[in-house]
Amino acid sequence: MPGGRRIRIGVMLLAIVNMLPAVEADQSWWLPAVALIAALVSCGLAAPDGSSRLPASILYTGVFASVAILIFEMFFVTPSVHILDLAHFMGLLCCCKFFDLRTNRDIGLMAVIAFLLLVIGALVSGTLVFAAAVIVDATLGVWWLVIFHVRCQTESILNRRRAAIPGRLADFGVTEQVDGVTRRSRHLGVVTASAAGMVAVSAVLFVAVPRGLGGSLFGKIRQVVAAPITGFTDQVVLGDSGLFQSSAPVMRVRVTRGDRVLDDGEYEPYLRGATQEVYTNGAWQRTPAQSFIYEYRLNGGATVPLTSANFSDRSDSILSQEVWLDDIGPYLFAEYPPIAISSGDFVVIERDADNWSLRLKYVPDDAGHYVVFSLMDVDAGAADALARETVPRVPSRGFASKIPKNLEQFAIELAGRYGDPALPEDHEAIARGIESFLQSEPFTYSLEGGGDRPIDRDPVEHFLLDSRRGHCEYFASAMTLVCQANGISARLVSGYYGGEFEADKGHFQIRRKDAHAWVEVRLPDRGWVKFDPSPPRESGDASAGFGLLGDLKDLYETLQLKWSAFVVAFDSDIRDELVGHFGRWFLNLKEGGQGAQSFWRAAKSLIWGPEFLSAGQRLLYWVVLCLWIALALLLMRTLWIVLLMIRAYLPAPKTSTSTLVRRPEARFYDHLLMLLAGKGYKKTPEATPREFAGRLVRAHPDLSEVGEITEWFYAAQFGRIGLASDRRRRLKEFLQRLREEPSFGVGRINSKQ
């Protein structure tokens, strides 16, 4: 069959693409290299029918070798990630199957294996490689599937024709006609509809099944090979992969104290964004409890206090941070604790009543500017005033960090070197001691991740007791857990640190590579105090470089950050917040009043979308809105068809004169007319059923049975004679061929008559 070679090449390419996410997760790049070589060799050795010229014994040997490698990796390699071992086995099985793609069943089996490889990639990958594989499957993969389905149907038609009219296919020109149907198939429309349906279902699953600790169906599996996170994130997951650095700018900050601008010799920025205090199996999150949020409306640049405490007598201790955001997001970054803010670009901000994090209620489309004031040198009086403004989160019962036993024992021994954790006055000395311990040898700072960690070993436990090498998230996690293990309140903070001071402009340039994690410890009479246990970073700038290559790397890292922050780290808290935003928006639409004017205002708001969406989010909103409209129309059509099917089994309604409109046993004729209309044969109102059947019989030999079926209709409708079982069987087979075979009853088969 023409085109079979293209179908085989297509399924091989899909298999190679779908194995890339799992390959990228454990850096086993040898597998796609072997698969690509196998695909090229198989294309060179393949016969026209798809069979291989290699002896069957060689293929069997390859399969047995794949099984042996699977057993070896699962039982004799330590550590072993079984789901990745399975991915290696399926990849090697694909390499063997490339040489044996003779039948449609072989090709279909290859497609199933390719899909399973993508499923494994979804469980272990959190990078853009998986996103790219999904895009390929949703477009080219769906296109391939449609063409493959058409080819299968074509072969099925030809096989039936050969059985029904042996030796006469050439006389009727069936091959030419079938290929014409294949060429005329509306592949693009089917592909577009299928891809749209997949996107709609994926969007629903994206919101309904969040990822992350505490609300994820795949959370624990994804932690086996965690994704590298670049830039700031409020979802810290410790992974063994290295971190990417990016020189893409995030914000510019001018810092003043009194009337004097501070430079890098006087001040090091620690601009906090989010905090987490609960740790489980390498992942940090906020305590899953009700959080009180304070809202503040900014009035055109006026300074708005974030606390009712009066700090006017501490003007020399107030730090002003003027921030220009280049990469805007929901968080506003500031030194702790922020006490006032002003902005002409933002409308409403939110302050977490527990950790004092600042967020935007409505994220604007473009960059933003704000000035935030923070209190430095917090003493006992200021700490008490701030404590009165703090509403602690009430955690769920028993919800606390899960600290491994070995780590807990080490933490107690370490804290005992610097003081007694039972004495509050010793907490600061203990915290300083832990900070110094982590900053000293043999601990080293590295962006390479957590090292070669056994799969059953906790990441922080492995870092503290074994590798002693990692990036800032490992150091901050270690100090936080050591403090918590000794009953000292501590939390992990993520934000930005440092930056490049540009003396000519008087501000700090903060880039993505300046994303950092540190610790806040609650001390008596001082409240939450900052500690940074990370040692100085290793020399060498891993920035993107210059020119086109540098721009492309920056673009990739930016997209990776977006994917990590909004897809990989999408958890139940973010889902609830998103649903809450839309819930309040729909409530505002509902409260808009009644009447035509309110209706059109609500319709306009629904089409435009919520005001808090950014430009990219609004475009996605429109896509999803169109998908929902298409889905609603599809459901309405499906419901209509179901109602018609139900109606066929119900007694027919009678008119006021008790005249029967259509007897139930004669309704098969309506189904016949609908299928014939789909083939291009529409019955005109003036034509009787017998006249219409006569024209069909003369038009095409495939429709020769329509005349006899029409007589069955007359007998059922007017003679009140039901169909016998053999007639029902023949009618069902004829209607099935009309519905399922694209070429049945169409084309120029009877052109010679």
Side-chain angles (χ1 to χ4, degrees), residues 284-305:
W284 286 93
Q285 71 169 97
R286 295 284 286 139
T287 303
Q290 179 64 37
S291 177
F292 293 93
I293 302 295
Y294 293 122
E295 289 190 1
Y296 304 90
R297 182 171 293 276
L298 305 181
N299 301 315
T303 301
V304 177

Side-chain angles (χ1 to χ4, degrees), residues 270-292:
Y270 276 90
L271 304 176
R272 69 200 297 271
T275 67
Q276 298 91 32
E277 68 276 355
V278 180
Y279 174 86
T280 304
N281 297 328
W284 286 93
Q285 71 169 97
R286 295 284 286 139
T287 303
Q290 179 64 37
S291 177
F292 293 93

